[in-house]
Amino acid sequence: MTSDVSTQIHLASRPQGWPVEDDFSLVRVELPALREGEVRVRNEFVSVDPYMRGRMSDAPSYIPPFEVGEAMTGGAVGRVVASEDPRLPAGTLVLHDQGWRDLAQGPGEAFRPVPEVEGVPVSLHLGMLGLTGMTAYVGLTQVARLREGDSVFVSGAAGAVGTAVGQIARLLGASRVIGSAGGPEKAALLRERYGYDVALDYRAAPIREQLAEAAGEDGVDVYFDNVGGDHLEAALDVLNRGGRVAVCGAISGYNAGARAAGPDNLTNVIKNSLMLQGFTLGEYAGFAREFQERMGAWLAAGEIAYDETVVEGVENAVAAFLGMMRGENVGKMVVRI
Amino acid sequence: MTSDVSTQIHLASRPQGWPVEDDFSLVRVELPALREGEVRVRNEFVSVDPYMRGRMSDAPSYIPPFEVGEAMTGGAVGRVVASEDPRLPAGTLVLHDQGWRDLAQGPGEAFRPVPEVEGVPVSLHLGMLGLTGMTAYVGLTQVARLREGDSVFVSGAAGAVGTAVGQIARLLGASRVIGSAGGPEKAALLRERYGYDVALDYRAAPIREQLAEAAGEDGVDVYFDNVGGDHLEAALDVLNRGGRVAVCGAISGYNAGARAAGPDNLTNVIKNSLMLQGFTLGEYAGFAREFQERMGAWLAAGEIAYDETVVEGVENAVAAFLGMMRGENVGKMVVRI
């Protein structure tokens, strides 16, 4: 007999600026009996990601906001514990969107079975093998149109997407990969573990000066932007003619109360015929198979290093999310349930 | 016997902020005798264009700066008056790059013969039939990838490029074309002569408010940016998901002493998967024939209206340039020699 109480994080109020614990509540919900076609899943890992900050606000966006007073959603990987869907027997490992809780339940179509591969932690389906890795892959190949020999700059390089971007760029033939992260430990990791040629600690000195020096005469052809703000400004200074920016995130601005002024050097877009392209993964769903095949092969060959920052327990999911927003993670931040 | 004295505008000093008359000098230069393969050309019209402001500075750019103490260059159309190149007999109408002077001289290869078409003023080779019209055409078709049914916003809409953009967008199937210009007279011209559905006078009220109202529920799919600054910011507010910006000019910032802060809403690039692409015509030279054929046909069919603001005399070329930078022209600003 499985438990029928789901412990969940609800959005209690819309955060103003930086979210605080009080914006969330831990709620125990009794699940109804399974109906035909439904499954109940015990989550093993749930994901916390920067884009979720956007869903906590009700400004118009590409995905609807979380509703106040209801459970938040997000990537999760778990195991079927009770099933009224013959295609998903108990024990099946599934990927789905009912994160932020321990027990999930719903129609079988909302849960996608994923393979269990020896030596590959199941949590990677939330990270390097999942949307995180795919964001890095399509951002480089489809948005920034990375070419062999390109010089690449990546901000937020020690984050979940950033650790993937540097390594994928390398594997796809980038000539040089520069990354930025906060603090000397992360900078060291970039060089030692994630194949970055140059690692900049943005806390040590203005990123604009550091990047200008690091880029030097060669400049930068591709900028993968996870940060926005001063990092985008720094990149616009050093991008070569025909340079391309994959605008993936702007974590620097997500919690700003007032709107921050943009870069003071946008005229470089004209001077150097630069391209900036914002993107979300939804537009590139057609590349999922290509990505999974290549990433699977890279992981199997040991060509991709990954880290996870694991926080224990659904009751700590909010702390995990806030820590990730402050940059306390290395690699993908996940919550083990 | 033709004159051998060329009256020319030289760059006397690099402008700081807004150029002033003293940054230029009117110089009379005695031309040497023609050598084999050379021609002498009496200019009929010379062009003044926003991009020339950039060449007056020595900041790194896609084209080399004008040299202090030397004649400036730029588009010109004139007639061969003496020739040592059998391919270009006296009387040939030619397009070339030795503007800012009355008499030009050099190797025949630097002068391209252009047809004289009944009813089409030769000055159009500097405007609607030349680089100006082509900038509008490739900006819409290749950079912004205009699709039938797109809603379009154009800043600097009464300028040389802007008057072309609105009409070409219309001819290519745009559903709605909104333009901005300075002053009620220009705004009226946009509606009455240049086929804009909505004309905004940016002097009357903040462009951000006016554009939000004009775009309404439909939003904007394509923004053709001649202005930058507050206009780009206004456009970023209203661009629909997947919107595209052809970044052609930033006349608002060309004479700023200090760098101005960029738009405060760049995060919309991510939120709405926007694309911004800076461009210069050089990258699209391969489209010259396609453009000339289509524009020639449109002009012949009377489907394109055009205006020129004509200033008389090479000695007034600087005044013409400064007037153009202040927006005193409607349509293409040219100097009749």
Side-chain angles (χ1 to χ4, degrees), chain B residues 63-88:
Chain B
I63 36 173
F66 296 133
E67 294 297 330
V68 171
E70 295 192 8
M72 296 188 292
T73 56
V77 62
R79 207 170 287 279
V80 176
V81 289
S83 176
E84 296 294 334
D85 181 340
R87 295 166 302 180
L88 296 172

PDB file of all heavy atoms in Angstrom, chain B residues 63-88:
ATOM      1  N   ILE B  63      34.312  50.216 -41.805  1.00  0.00           N
ATOM      2  CA  ILE B  63      34.964  50.926 -42.909  1.00  0.00           C
ATOM      3  C   ILE B  63      35.988  51.880 -42.318  1.00  0.00           C
ATOM      4  O   ILE B  63      35.789  52.416 -41.226  1.00  0.00           O
ATOM      5  CB  ILE B  63      33.987  51.713 -43.810  1.00  0.00           C
ATOM      6  CG1 ILE B  63      32.845  52.314 -42.970  1.00  0.00           C
ATOM      7  CG2 ILE B  63      33.467  50.876 -44.946  1.00  0.00           C
ATOM      8  CD1 ILE B  63      31.954  53.224 -43.794  1.00  0.00           C
ATOM      9  N   PRO B  64      37.077  52.107 -43.015  1.00  0.00           N
ATOM     10  CA  PRO B  64      38.134  52.969 -42.457  1.00  0.00           C
ATOM     11  C   PRO B  64      37.635  54.400 -42.286  1.00  0.00           C
ATOM     12  O   PRO B  64      36.737  54.847 -43.007  1.00  0.00           O
ATOM     13  CB  PRO B  64      39.244  52.893 -43.500  1.00  0.00           C
ATOM     14  CG  PRO B  64      38.618  52.360 -44.740  1.00  0.00           C
ATOM     15  CD  PRO B  64      37.406  51.599 -44.348  1.00  0.00           C
ATOM     16  N   PRO B  65      38.189  55.122 -41.337  1.00  0.00           N
ATOM     17  CA  PRO B  65      37.771  56.513 -41.132  1.00  0.00           C
ATOM     18  C   PRO B  65      38.271  57.406 -42.258  1.00  0.00           C
ATOM     19  O   PRO B  65      39.232  57.088 -42.948  1.00  0.00           O
ATOM     20  CB  PRO B  65      38.446  56.885 -39.809  1.00  0.00           C
ATOM     21  CG  PRO B  65      39.632  55.991 -39.701  1.00  0.00           C
ATOM     22  CD  PRO B  65      39.244  54.705 -40.386  1.00  0.00           C
ATOM     23  N   PHE B  66      37.572  58.545 -42.426  1.00  0.00           N
ATOM     24  CA  PHE B  66      38.127  59.600 -43.281  1.00  0.00           C
ATOM     25  C   PHE B  66      39.433  60.068 -42.650  1.00  0.00           C
ATOM     26  O   PHE B  66      39.575  60.089 -41.419  1.00  0.00           O
ATOM     27  CB  PHE B  66      37.160  60.797 -43.351  1.00  0.00           C
ATOM     28  CG  PHE B  66      35.837  60.486 -43.993  1.00  0.00           C
ATOM     29  CD1 PHE B  66      34.653  60.894 -43.384  1.00  0.00           C
ATOM     30  CD2 PHE B  66      35.764  59.825 -45.207  1.00  0.00           C
ATOM     31  CE1 PHE B  66      33.414  60.636 -43.971  1.00  0.00           C
ATOM     32  CE2 PHE B  66      34.519  59.556 -45.801  1.00  0.00           C
ATOM     33  CZ  PHE B  66      33.350  59.967 -45.176  1.00  0.00           C
ATOM     34  N   GLU B  67      40.373  60.495 -43.474  1.00  0.00           N
ATOM     35  CA  GLU B  67      41.628  61.019 -42.941  1.00  0.00           C
ATOM     36  C   GLU B  67      41.499  62.525 -42.754  1.00  0.00           C
ATOM     37  O   GLU B  67      40.980  63.224 -43.618  1.00  0.00           O
ATOM     38  CB  GLU B  67      42.783  60.716 -43.904  1.00  0.00           C
ATOM     39  CG  GLU B  67      43.089  59.231 -44.050  1.00  0.00           C
ATOM     40  CD  GLU B  67      43.543  58.593 -42.730  1.00  0.00           C
ATOM     41  OE1 GLU B  67      44.153  59.306 -41.904  1.00  0.00           O
ATOM     42  OE2 GLU B  67      43.259  57.408 -42.526  1.00  0.00           O
ATOM     43  N   VAL B  68      41.998  62.992 -41.624  1.00  0.00           N
ATOM     44  CA  VAL B  68      42.004  64.438 -41.390  1.00  0.00           C
ATOM     45  C   VAL B  68      42.941  65.090 -42.414  1.00  0.00           C
ATOM     46  O   VAL B  68      44.036  64.604 -42.681  1.00  0.00           O
ATOM     47  CB  VAL B  68      42.471  64.761 -39.954  1.00  0.00           C
ATOM     48  CG1 VAL B  68      42.678  66.264 -39.777  1.00  0.00           C
ATOM     49  CG2 VAL B  68      41.454  64.237 -38.942  1.00  0.00           C
ATOM     50  N   GLY B  69      42.462  66.179 -43.029  1.00  0.00           N
ATOM     51  CA  GLY B  69      43.277  66.880 -44.021  1.00  0.00           C
ATOM     52  C   GLY B  69      43.101  66.353 -45.427  1.00  0.00           C
ATOM     53  O   GLY B  69      43.760  66.825 -46.358  1.00  0.00           O
ATOM     54  N   GLU B  70      42.200  65.378 -45.576  1.00  0.00           N
ATOM     55  CA  GLU B  70      41.964  64.864 -46.927  1.00  0.00           C
ATOM     56  C   GLU B  70      40.490  64.972 -47.286  1.00  0.00           C
ATOM     57  O   GLU B  70      39.634  65.144 -46.416  1.00  0.00           O
ATOM     58  CB  GLU B  70      42.437  63.415 -47.023  1.00  0.00           C
ATOM     59  CG  GLU B  70      43.942  63.317 -46.836  1.00  0.00           C
ATOM     60  CD  GLU B  70      44.495  61.946 -47.199  1.00  0.00           C
ATOM     61  OE1 GLU B  70      43.728  61.117 -47.739  1.00  0.00           O
ATOM     62  OE2 GLU B  70      45.678  61.733 -46.932  1.00  0.00           O
ATOM     63  N   ALA B  71      40.210  64.851 -48.581  1.00  0.00           N
ATOM     64  CA  ALA B  71      38.834  64.914 -49.051  1.00  0.00           C
ATOM     65  C   ALA B  71      38.053  63.727 -48.512  1.00  0.00           C
ATOM     66  O   ALA B  71      38.564  62.613 -48.463  1.00  0.00           O
ATOM     67  CB  ALA B  71      38.801  64.918 -50.574  1.00  0.00           C
ATOM     68  N   MET B  72      36.813  63.994 -48.120  1.00  0.00           N
ATOM     69  CA  MET B  72      35.935  62.894 -47.734  1.00  0.00           C
ATOM     70  C   MET B  72      35.395  62.235 -49.002  1.00  0.00           C
ATOM     71  O   MET B  72      35.439  62.809 -50.090  1.00  0.00           O
ATOM     72  CB  MET B  72      34.815  63.417 -46.850  1.00  0.00           C
ATOM     73  CG  MET B  72      35.360  63.980 -45.523  1.00  0.00           C
ATOM     74  SD  MET B  72      34.069  64.393 -44.347  1.00  0.00           S
ATOM     75  CE  MET B  72      33.309  65.780 -45.177  1.00  0.00           C
ATOM     76  N   THR B  73      34.904  61.021 -48.854  1.00  0.00           N
ATOM     77  CA  THR B  73      34.335  60.311 -49.989  1.00  0.00           C
ATOM     78  C   THR B  73      32.881  59.955 -49.680  1.00  0.00           C
ATOM     79  O   THR B  73      32.412  60.141 -48.558  1.00  0.00           O
ATOM     80  CB  THR B  73      35.136  59.034 -50.293  1.00  0.00           C
ATOM     81  OG1 THR B  73      35.181  58.232 -49.110  1.00  0.00           O
ATOM     82  CG2 THR B  73      36.554  59.369 -50.714  1.00  0.00           C
ATOM     83  N   GLY B  74      32.202  59.455 -50.691  1.00  0.00           N
ATOM     84  CA  GLY B  74      30.795  59.099 -50.530  1.00  0.00           C
ATOM     85  C   GLY B  74      30.158  58.995 -51.904  1.00  0.00           C
ATOM     86  O   GLY B  74      30.772  59.363 -52.917  1.00  0.00           O
ATOM     87  N   GLY B  75      28.946  58.485 -51.929  1.00  0.00           N
ATOM     88  CA  GLY B  75      28.273  58.250 -53.193  1.00  0.00           C
ATOM     89  C   GLY B  75      28.110  59.517 -54.025  1.00  0.00           C
ATOM     90  O   GLY B  75      27.849  60.596 -53.498  1.00  0.00           O
ATOM     91  N   ALA B  76      28.282  59.379 -55.334  1.00  0.00           N
ATOM     92  CA  ALA B  76      28.125  60.511 -56.247  1.00  0.00           C
ATOM     93  C   ALA B  76      27.720  59.982 -57.611  1.00  0.00           C
ATOM     94  O   ALA B  76      28.078  58.866 -57.991  1.00  0.00           O
ATOM     95  CB  ALA B  76      29.430  61.294 -56.356  1.00  0.00           C
ATOM     96  N   VAL B  77      26.958  60.797 -58.315  1.00  0.00           N
ATOM     97  CA  VAL B  77      26.628  60.460 -59.694  1.00  0.00           C
ATOM     98  C   VAL B  77      27.034  61.662 -60.560  1.00  0.00           C
ATOM     99  O   VAL B  77      26.803  62.815 -60.192  1.00  0.00           O
ATOM    100  CB  VAL B  77      25.135  60.063 -59.833  1.00  0.00           C
ATOM    101  CG1 VAL B  77      24.215  61.195 -59.464  1.00  0.00           C
ATOM    102  CG2 VAL B  77      24.818  59.550 -61.219  1.00  0.00           C
ATOM    103  N   GLY B  78      27.721  61.377 -61.653  1.00  0.00           N
ATOM    104  CA  GLY B  78      28.232  62.471 -62.485  1.00  0.00           C
ATOM    105  C   GLY B  78      28.447  62.003 -63.913  1.00  0.00           C
ATOM    106  O   GLY B  78      28.098  60.882 -64.280  1.00  0.00           O
ATOM    107  N   ARG B  79      29.018  62.896 -64.671  1.00  0.00           N
ATOM    108  CA  ARG B  79      29.158  62.633 -66.109  1.00  0.00           C
ATOM    109  C   ARG B  79      30.627  62.797 -66.494  1.00  0.00           C
ATOM    110  O   ARG B  79      31.302  63.736 -66.044  1.00  0.00           O
ATOM    111  CB  ARG B  79      28.306  63.643 -66.885  1.00  0.00           C
ATOM    112  CG  ARG B  79      27.830  63.159 -68.217  1.00  0.00           C
ATOM    113  CD  ARG B  79      26.803  64.102 -68.818  1.00  0.00           C
ATOM    114  NE  ARG B  79      25.485  64.051 -68.178  1.00  0.00           N
ATOM    115  CZ  ARG B  79      24.559  63.117 -68.439  1.00  0.00           C
ATOM    116  NH1 ARG B  79      24.801  62.164 -69.321  1.00  0.00           N
ATOM    117  NH2 ARG B  79      23.406  63.143 -67.811  1.00  0.00           N
ATOM    118  N   VAL B  80      31.097  61.856 -67.284  1.00  0.00           N
ATOM    119  CA  VAL B  80      32.491  61.903 -67.739  1.00  0.00           C
ATOM    120  C   VAL B  80      32.692  63.133 -68.623  1.00  0.00           C
ATOM    121  O   VAL B  80      31.939  63.353 -69.564  1.00  0.00           O
ATOM    122  CB  VAL B  80      32.854  60.616 -68.510  1.00  0.00           C
ATOM    123  CG1 VAL B  80      34.272  60.712 -69.076  1.00  0.00           C
ATOM    124  CG2 VAL B  80      32.699  59.394 -67.613  1.00  0.00           C
ATOM    125  N   VAL B  81      33.712  63.940 -68.277  1.00  0.00           N
ATOM    126  CA  VAL B  81      33.993  65.140 -69.082  1.00  0.00           C
ATOM    127  C   VAL B  81      35.312  65.019 -69.826  1.00  0.00           C
ATOM    128  O   VAL B  81      35.565  65.758 -70.771  1.00  0.00           O
ATOM    129  CB  VAL B  81      33.995  66.421 -68.213  1.00  0.00           C
ATOM    130  CG1 VAL B  81      32.579  66.764 -67.760  1.00  0.00           C
ATOM    131  CG2 VAL B  81      34.932  66.300 -67.006  1.00  0.00           C
ATOM    132  N   ALA B  82      36.171  64.125 -69.414  1.00  0.00           N
ATOM    133  CA  ALA B  82      37.415  63.871 -70.139  1.00  0.00           C
ATOM    134  C   ALA B  82      37.795  62.432 -69.842  1.00  0.00           C
ATOM    135  O   ALA B  82      37.616  61.956 -68.730  1.00  0.00           O
ATOM    136  CB  ALA B  82      38.521  64.823 -69.681  1.00  0.00           C
ATOM    137  N   SER B  83      38.311  61.740 -70.855  1.00  0.00           N
ATOM    138  CA  SER B  83      38.520  60.309 -70.650  1.00  0.00           C
ATOM    139  C   SER B  83      39.759  59.796 -71.347  1.00  0.00           C
ATOM    140  O   SER B  83      40.006  60.110 -72.518  1.00  0.00           O
ATOM    141  CB  SER B  83      37.282  59.553 -71.155  1.00  0.00           C
ATOM    142  OG  SER B  83      37.489  58.166 -71.066  1.00  0.00           O
ATOM    143  N   GLU B  84      40.525  59.016 -70.636  1.00  0.00           N
ATOM    144  CA  GLU B  84      41.594  58.224 -71.240  1.00  0.00           C
ATOM    145  C   GLU B  84      41.275  56.737 -71.085  1.00  0.00           C
ATOM    146  O   GLU B  84      42.151  55.894 -71.094  1.00  0.00           O
ATOM    147  CB  GLU B  84      42.944  58.564 -70.584  1.00  0.00           C
ATOM    148  CG  GLU B  84      43.409  60.007 -70.809  1.00  0.00           C
ATOM    149  CD  GLU B  84      43.723  60.295 -72.288  1.00  0.00           C
ATOM    150  OE1 GLU B  84      44.059  59.332 -73.013  1.00  0.00           O
ATOM    151  OE2 GLU B  84      43.607  61.466 -72.709  1.00  0.00           O
ATOM    152  N   ASP B  85      39.985  56.471 -70.867  1.00  0.00           N
ATOM    153  CA  ASP B  85      39.517  55.077 -70.778  1.00  0.00           C
ATOM    154  C   ASP B  85      38.468  54.892 -71.859  1.00  0.00           C
ATOM    155  O   ASP B  85      37.368  55.436 -71.768  1.00  0.00           O
ATOM    156  CB  ASP B  85      38.910  54.795 -69.393  1.00  0.00           C
ATOM    157  CG  ASP B  85      38.424  53.350 -69.244  1.00  0.00           C
ATOM    158  OD1 ASP B  85      38.189  52.676 -70.284  1.00  0.00           O
ATOM    159  OD2 ASP B  85      38.286  52.899 -68.101  1.00  0.00           O
ATOM    160  N   PRO B  86      38.777  54.114 -72.907  1.00  0.00           N
ATOM    161  CA  PRO B  86      37.856  54.002 -74.050  1.00  0.00           C
ATOM    162  C   PRO B  86      36.496  53.435 -73.664  1.00  0.00           C
ATOM    163  O   PRO B  86      35.517  53.618 -74.393  1.00  0.00           O
ATOM    164  CB  PRO B  86      38.596  53.058 -75.014  1.00  0.00           C
ATOM    165  CG  PRO B  86      39.675  52.415 -74.204  1.00  0.00           C
ATOM    166  CD  PRO B  86      40.004  53.326 -73.075  1.00  0.00           C
ATOM    167  N   ARG B  87      36.420  52.748 -72.529  1.00  0.00           N
ATOM    168  CA  ARG B  87      35.126  52.173 -72.143  1.00  0.00           C
ATOM    169  C   ARG B  87      34.180  53.226 -71.562  1.00  0.00           C
ATOM    170  O   ARG B  87      32.996  52.984 -71.384  1.00  0.00           O
ATOM    171  CB  ARG B  87      35.336  51.055 -71.108  1.00  0.00           C
ATOM    172  CG  ARG B  87      36.114  49.863 -71.670  1.00  0.00           C
ATOM    173  CD  ARG B  87      36.584  48.950 -70.555  1.00  0.00           C
ATOM    174  NE  ARG B  87      37.417  49.675 -69.593  1.00  0.00           N
ATOM    175  CZ  ARG B  87      37.971  49.134 -68.513  1.00  0.00           C
ATOM    176  NH1 ARG B  87      37.757  47.859 -68.244  1.00  0.00           N
ATOM    177  NH2 ARG B  87      38.736  49.859 -67.712  1.00  0.00           N
ATOM    178  N   LEU B  88      34.729  54.380 -71.235  1.00  0.00           N
ATOM    179  CA  LEU B  88      33.915  55.427 -70.607  1.00  0.00           C
ATOM    180  C   LEU B  88      34.091  56.748 -71.353  1.00  0.00           C
ATOM    181  O   LEU B  88      34.743  57.669 -70.864  1.00  0.00           O
ATOM    182  CB  LEU B  88      34.324  55.608 -69.133  1.00  0.00           C
ATOM    183  CG  LEU B  88      34.093  54.430 -68.189  1.00  0.00           C
ATOM    184  CD1 LEU B  88      34.735  54.703 -66.827  1.00  0.00           C
ATOM    185  CD2 LEU B  88      32.596  54.159 -68.013  1.00  0.00           C
TER     186      LEU B  88
END
